[in-house]
Amino acid sequence: MQFDDDARLDTSEVKDVRGSRIPGGKATVGGGIIGLIALILGVLFGVGPDQLGLSSGGEEEPAAGASSAAEVNRSCRTGADANSRLDCRTVAVVNSVQDYWRGEYRRRGGTYGDASTVLFSQRVNTACGAASSAVGPFYCPGDRRVYLDLGFFDELRTKFGSSGGPFAQAYVVAHEYGHHVQNLMGTLSRAQDGRTGADSNAVRVELQADCYAGVWARHATSTPDESTGRPLIARLDDADIRDGLDAAAAVGDDRIQERFQGRVTPESWTHGSAEQRQQWFYTGYRTGDMARCNTFR
């Protein structure tokens, strides 16, 4: 995965609050099977913490600490920075994903509403409640933001057995923006019926987000960057896609349950099996068509 060295990164799409403090209280996980799984497994990346049984922390923004906020703005200027730094690579992926969805919405006669990404460390307050890094990356529909502790990418490799790599990280970001697209389309709320299991709406929502991530990946090297007119992502090869597929499998419910519980319990699934997640990501990548991402049929 290679970015155009001369591309200009738009850091306005990413807010860096790493090193910040949350005034008052702390994020907690509790209640229900989803909260238990999140606590035990340390990751169920998907929608906001209100659906994971997290405590409500209000909508207050984190207060900036001494080491906070400007690192991304200072350091992430060009595609060359994205090729050398994880936080800058995240900015570049967010830029590319949103460039694609803006163009796709225009092509379909609609208007895409942007969503920013918040980089945090340890814990953060959101419109969906207070969250800790233990829940993994998530999208909060209440404030239309993606929340990400970059430490998750190390855990994806060391704790969950993914091969890792830059595109594995990009897949995670694109999946979360798939939830944003679902929110804009009104389908994200289907996951909020409280049901779990292999055929639940919760699983279907997650698999559709995987498919949308694949759709973006298909078009990533042909989506023009608004600053240069050239694609921000200059190269994406088969090895990158394999890394994405491997990451999708690593966070399949069956793989996670087998690794951490020693048994597979499909009735508690919320994200789908490793095979399903790979299948739907690849469906999006193979077809490049969001209309082929109907996981609810």
Side-chain angles (χ1 to χ4, degrees):
M1 184 179 185
Q2 184 78 21
F3 297 93
D4 176 4
D5 282 343
D6 296 325
R8 303 296 299 179
L9 302 185
D10 182 2
T11 58
S12 70
E13 294 186 347
V14 175
K15 181 176 183 179
D16 187 0
V17 299
R18 292 173 293 173
S20 300
R21 300 187 309 273
I22 296 180
K26 60 182 180 179
T28 59
V29 179
I33 190 167
I34 307 300
L36 178 62
I37 292 174
L39 181 62
I40 293 174
L41 304 186
V43 60
L44 276 176
F45 69 82
V47 294
D50 58 329
Q51 297 174 357
L52 299 178
L54 304 187
S55 67
S56 174
E59 301 184 21
E60 188 174 9
E61 292 287 341
S67 63
S68 137
E71 184 63 26
V72 161
N73 289 334
R74 282 196 307 264
S75 302
C76 302
R77 302 297 182 89
T78 68
D81 298 325
N83 285 322
S84 61
R85 289 178 57 111
L86 172 58
D87 50 2
C88 300
R89 181 159 61 244
T90 302
V91 173
V93 171
V94 169
N95 291 170
S96 175
V97 169
Q98 297 213 104
D99 281 344
Y100 170 71
W101 287 115
R102 277 190 288 266
E104 180 65 9
Y105 266 65
R106 282 195 300 268
R107 189 179 72 81
R108 293 173 175 269
T111 301
Y112 172 79
D114 289 358
S116 60
T117 287
V118 178
L119 302 183
F120 73 99
S121 54
Q122 297 186 334
R123 59 187 186 268
V124 68
N125 275 338
T126 82
C128 298
S132 76
S133 298
V135 303
F138 63 91
Y139 170 75
C140 173
D143 55 24
R144 293 188 175 187
R145 289 178 172 177
V146 170
Y147 290 87
L148 174 62
D149 185 326
L150 294 177
F152 171 77
F153 294 137
D154 284 335
E155 292 190 346
L156 184 62
R157 180 176 52 83
T158 61
K159 187 180 293 186
F160 297 97
S162 166
S163 60
F167 189 76
Q169 299 158 7
Y171 152 75
V172 171
V173 174
H175 172 97
E176 298 309 328
Y177 275 89
H179 286 312
H180 177 57
V181 171
Q182 290 172 321
N183 190 36
L184 295 177
M185 297 179 67
T187 55
L188 183 60
S189 60
R190 294 192 185 192
Q192 298 176 8
D193 61 8
R195 294 179 56 246
T196 62
D199 295 322
S200 66
N201 282 337
V203 166
R204 294 177 191 275
V205 162
E206 296 299 332
L207 296 178
Q208 187 176 63
D210 282 335
C211 189
Y212 287 162
V215 169
W216 160 75
R218 185 71 199 180
H219 298 282
T221 57
S222 60
T223 298
D225 177 62
E226 294 180 353
S227 66
T228 65
R230 301 188 304 273
L232 178 55
I233 297 179
R235 179 179 58 80
L236 196 63
D237 59 26
D238 290 344
D240 294 314
I241 300 305
R242 286 195 296 271
D243 284 343
L245 288 166
D246 190 70
V251 290
D253 283 324
D254 53 341
R255 292 273 187 94
I256 290 177
Q257 290 178 339
E258 181 65 35
R259 180 179 289 263
F260 293 96
Q261 298 178 174
R263 67 188 188 281
V264 176
T265 53
E267 65 274 12
S268 67
W269 287 3
T270 59
H271 285 63
S273 69
E275 181 181 3
Q276 286 176 311
R277 302 200 71 166
Q278 287 187 319
Q279 173 195 335
W280 280 104
F281 172 80
Y282 193 71
T283 294
Y285 179 71
R286 177 177 54 82
T287 66
D289 182 2
M290 67 182 299
R292 300 292 293 274
C293 295
N294 185 359
T295 58
F296 296 92
R297 288 182 298 190

